[in-house]
Amino acid sequence: PMIAEFLGIDDVDEALYSKVAFLISRDQMVKHVDAFDDHFITEKGRELGRALRVMEPAAKVRSIDGKKKDTVLTEKTIEWMEDRWLERMTPLTGHASCYDEFAAAIADLSATEEEVEVVEQGVRKSILRRRSSVTLDQMPSLRRRRESLAPHE
């Protein structure tokens, strides 16, 4: 919702959300990997000659095909990350170890309420809707993603 607002798109509907979700899916990005390889940086670097070493294009999106390296974090890595969280994040945010609480607090920073009209069972009524760049509906998927990267509970 916030990106649509930033872009000046007022009438965002489910069809547009579905289209965007499809276009940003891993499968679509893998099909169009050349759009995500920073080739323009290489081209400009060569064209302008302003760098001692020109970066070569490299794919930023990889397919999930079972051939990739193991991405499961070790217990030692998880402990290191938790230590860094306690050392750096807790003093600044007050969130000792709960990523979900921290993510919810971030969502609250940009949240606004707006009155919208909805139709339920043929009855039109006004309700207050919370708008945020991160919605509460997304929180379980954010947590699942974090847990898939660093399962520890």
Side-chain angles (χ1 to χ4, degrees), residues 6 10 18 45 77-78 81 87 89-90 94 112-113 116 118 126 142-144:
F6 174 78
D10 295 326
S18 295
T77 300
I78 293 167
M81 291 171 64
E87 175 186 310
M89 294 298 288
T90 302
T112 59
E113 287 187 349
V116 295
V118 296
S126 292
L142 290 174
R143 179 168 193 181
R144 280 192 302 275

Side-chain angles (χ1 to χ4, degrees), residues 38-139:
D38 291 341
H39 61 277
F40 59 92
I41 294 174
T42 303
E43 291 167 8
K44 282 296 180 187
R46 288 186 180 134
E47 175 187 327
L48 300 173
R50 293 185 183 158
L52 295 175
R53 182 176 169 271
V54 176
M55 183 181 96
E56 291 300 318
K60 305 295 188 283
V61 182
R62 297 184 182 143
S63 63
I64 299 176
D65 60 2
K67 297 177 184 174
K68 66 179 184 161
K69 293 180 182 178
D70 189 14
T71 57
V72 176
L73 298 178
T74 65
E75 188 64 34
K76 184 177 178 179
T77 300
I78 293 167
E79 288 175 14
W80 180 86
M81 291 171 64
E82 289 172 345
D83 289 345
R84 296 299 76 75
W85 181 279
L86 288 171
E87 175 186 310
R88 296 180 181 170
M89 294 298 288
T90 302
L92 296 173
T93 68
H95 296 279
S97 63
C98 185
Y99 175 84
D100 294 336
E101 288 176 13
F102 179 67
I106 295 292
D108 286 343
L109 289 175
S110 62
T112 59
E113 287 187 349
E114 65 180 359
E115 189 171 347
V116 295
E117 286 191 11
V118 296
V119 178
E120 290 180 0
Q121 299 175 346
V123 177
R124 182 176 294 251
K125 62 181 182 177
S126 292
I127 61 167
L128 284 178
R129 182 174 74 176
R130 180 183 169 92
R131 291 185 63 180
S132 174
S133 60
V134 178
T135 65
L136 293 178
D137 292 341
Q138 291 171 311
M139 297 310 257

